[in-house]
Amino acid sequence: MPSPVSDCIFCKIVRREAPASIIHEDEATLAFLDIRPMIRGHALVIPKAHAASLADLPKESSGPILETARKVAAGLRGSGLRCEAVNLWLADGKEAGQEVFHLHFHVLPRFRGDGFGVRTGPDYGRMPERSELDATATKIRDAMGR
Ligand code: 5GP
Ligand code: ZN
C-alpha cells in the first residue's frame, strides 16, 4: 500500500532522497526554494514530520513553522534579492490550490510593481452588514468550540 511518507516528495527532500536548495533546517522544520518559483527567492517552509493538512498538523508544530517562515522572510529582506515586502501563503486543501499534500507555507518576496494580485474572490468588493459578519463569526466560533 502506498505510504504518504515514503512517496511524498517533501518527505523525500527531508530524507535527502530528492534534491533541494535548502535555506534552513532545524529539529522540526525545513525551508527550501520552490522548484517552480513565482518570483525569485520563492521559498517553502515545511514541518519535517509529514502532515497533509492543517487538520493533521500537531498543535506543537504550528509555532515552529511560522517561526521558520519569519526567519526566511528576514533572510529574503537581507539577501540582496528584490524583496521590499513578503507574503505568506498556505493552501489547505485541493480547492484552495494545494498540489503537494505535505503542508507548507510559501514565502514570497514582493516588490512594488511585481505584478502579483490576489484581491479577488466571490465576495470581493462587497461590504456585508455587521449582522451578516456577526452571523458568520457565530458559525465559525460555534464550530471551534466543538
Ligand atoms: P501548493 O500548490 O501545494 O501550495 O504548492 C506546491 C509547490 O511545491 C509548488 O509551488 C511547486 O512548484 C512546488 N514543488 C512541487 N514539487 C517540488 C519539488 O520536487 N521540489 C521543490 N523544491 N518544490 C516543488
Ligand atoms: Zn511528506
Side-chain angles (χ1 to χ4, degrees):
M1 193 175 134
S3 145
V5 175
S6 57
D7 297 337
C8 169
I9 182 62
F10 288 176
C11 283
K12 285 183 180 165
I13 289 173
V14 171
R15 295 194 301 267
R16 305 300 199 270
E17 291 168 14
S21 299
I22 292 172
I23 300 169
H24 173 87
E25 178 167 25
D26 59 41
E27 211 180 312
T29 71
L30 188 70
F32 49 94
L33 291 182
D34 195 295
I35 204 169
R36 279 184 282 128
M38 288 189 238
I39 190 165
R40 190 167 178 207
H42 178 176
L44 301 171
V45 175
I46 64 168
K48 281 184 170 177
H50 183 87
S53 67
L54 282 175
D56 293 338
L57 190 70
K59 201 159 60 176
E60 60 278 9
S61 300
S62 49
I65 302 169
L66 184 58
E67 175 54 14
T68 297
R70 191 189 68 76
K71 285 183 181 144
V72 171
L76 283 166
R77 283 175 182 272
S79 65
L81 296 172
R82 286 194 80 177
C83 181
E84 294 161 8
V86 171
N87 274 135
L88 295 185
W89 172 262
L90 186 153
D92 183 37
K94 188 165 170 275
E95 295 74 12
Q98 188 175 8
E99 288 178 352
V100 175
F101 286 84
H102 181 135
L103 198 73
H104 50 279
F105 263 127
H106 295 257
V107 187
L108 294 157
R110 299 290 310 273
F111 54 86
R112 186 179 291 267
D114 62 20
F116 268 90
V118 289
R119 286 183 190 272
T120 178
D123 273 14
Y124 180 61
R126 195 170 73 85
M127 197 164 166
E129 297 291 326
R130 174 64 50 199
S131 57
E132 185 185 329
L133 291 174
D134 284 347
T136 305
T138 300
K139 280 182 189 291
I140 302 166
R141 201 170 53 235
D142 286 354
M144 288 167 70
R146 272 181 220 138

